[in-house]
Amino acid sequence: MFSNYLIGLREGLEASLVVCILIAYLVKTGRREALKPIWTGIAIAVVLALGFGCALEFGSQELTFQAQEALGGSLSIVAVGLVTWMVFWMRRTARHLKSELHGRLDAALAMGTGALVATAFLAVGREGLETALFVWASVHAASDGTPRPLIGVALGIATAVLLGWLFYRGALRINLAKFFTWTGGMLVVVAAGVLAYGVHDLQEAGWVPGLTHLAFDISDTIQPDSWYGTLLKGVFNFQPDPTVVQLVVWLLYLVPVLTLFLLPTRVSGRTGEPAAGAVK
């Protein structure tokens, strides 16, 4: 449940910050008439993300078992690729996200209503589609037959919306660069588990060999249906009996990606960006 809460919080906060920056800029510059097309674009993006998530969930139920496993495994790998790109992109651009969005909004204002709708849609839609795909993959990886994974995602998104509102009102200030670094590192660990689960799906579909070659089996020590087994699976997508291929893929992803992500970055030459979560 925690891993899904983290996904909802991290992805939802990115979208919330984008919305707050766009709206605050229009209000501050006295162009409130442009708020309606901005909200229209945001609404379209949210509906598209929800529709995409429903299509993934209900569309896959009509497939055979092998096809479901192949689809689930393939989409899990795609989701891991997208979320990996996202955490590195946000780590690099968090300091100047505000000025970048302001520039796009100025250009859209000069072009008219349609451009404003498109700007808001593209800014929020990308986050929505990434969230829908990664949430779907993570929920299936951590699913234990209960609604807890979905509850975790919903709570994370609700927290992100609340934080976004507090940022907008000026009631909360945090160092966003540090926040995205810490949550990004934890998300890389979650992504490693999703990737290993995706590889296992492909093994069950017959696309990847080695399904019967286990790296180890500690099911007797850490029982999957125990509270601690459920906790490990929910947080880290831990599996007590991974295959050799799963373990190798997990290590080949986690070690280099987490190392690169935690390496110090050069400070951007841009100025005028607040380190804290002010959006006004």
Side-chain angles (χ1 to χ4, degrees):
M1 183 171 176
F2 173 76
S3 64
N4 295 288
Y5 175 83
L6 176 64
I7 294 168
L9 174 63
R10 166 71 188 231
E11 299 285 344
L13 186 57
E14 288 186 26
S16 294
L17 288 177
V18 168
V19 172
C20 290
I21 290 171
L22 293 176
I23 293 175
Y25 183 63
L26 291 175
V27 172
K28 184 178 180 180
T29 57
R31 289 177 277 193
R32 292 178 177 269
E33 70 280 357
L35 289 176
K36 185 176 180 179
I38 291 294
W39 282 116
T40 300
I42 292 170
I44 295 173
V46 171
V47 171
L48 178 63
L50 291 174
F52 180 57
C54 290
L56 288 174
E57 177 62 24
F58 298 111
S60 62
Q61 294 179 2
E62 303 299 324
L63 303 175
T64 64
F65 173 77
Q66 286 77 12
Q68 287 183 8
E69 297 302 294
L71 177 64
S74 301
L75 290 180
S76 294
I77 293 172
V78 171
V80 169
L82 287 175
V83 80
T84 303
W85 173 84
M86 177 271 296
V87 295
F88 277 96
W89 177 82
M90 181 54 74
R91 179 172 177 262
R92 185 178 66 253
T93 61
R95 290 184 178 89
H96 51 84
L97 177 64
K98 183 178 176 181
S99 60
E100 181 178 323
L101 287 172
H102 285 179
R104 293 182 185 178
L105 195 53
D106 283 334
L109 284 165
M111 296 176 65
T113 302
L116 287 171
V117 173
T119 298
F121 170 76
L122 293 174
V124 178
R126 187 198 65 187
E127 302 292 345
L129 292 176
E130 286 179 358
T131 302
L133 179 56
F134 195 58
V135 163
W136 182 83
S138 180
V139 166
H140 277 258
S143 179
D144 54 2
T146 71
R148 282 181 294 184
L150 289 177
I151 292 174
V153 173
L155 290 176
I157 293 175
T159 304
V161 172
L162 175 61
L163 290 176
W165 181 78
L166 292 174
F167 288 148
Y168 178 77
R169 302 299 299 178
L172 181 65
R173 293 175 64 88
I174 64 173
N175 188 310
L176 292 178
K178 289 185 178 180
F179 173 84
F180 284 121
T181 296
W182 282 100
T183 57
M186 290 188 286
L187 210 54
V188 168
V189 176
V190 173
V194 173
L195 179 61
Y197 185 86
V199 169
H200 186 266
D201 278 352
L202 294 180
Q203 288 182 304
E204 290 191 327
W207 286 23
V208 176
L211 180 61
T212 59
H213 295 84
L214 302 183
F216 55 83
D217 187 352
I218 54 174
S219 300
D220 293 336
T221 304
I222 302 179
Q223 299 179 1
D225 56 351
S226 64
W227 69 266
Y228 46 88
T230 302
L231 179 64
L232 288 172
K233 183 175 179 60
V235 176
F236 302 109
N237 289 316
F238 173 78
Q239 183 177 336
D241 55 347
T243 65
V244 173
V245 176
Q246 277 185 280
L247 181 61
V248 170
V249 169
W250 184 82
L251 289 172
L252 288 178
Y253 172 85
L254 181 63
V255 174
V257 172
L258 192 58
T259 300
L260 288 173
F261 182 77
L262 295 178
L263 286 176
T265 57
R266 294 183 298 177
V267 177
S268 172
R270 298 173 185 251
T271 57
E273 291 299 325
V279 296
K280 291 189 177 182

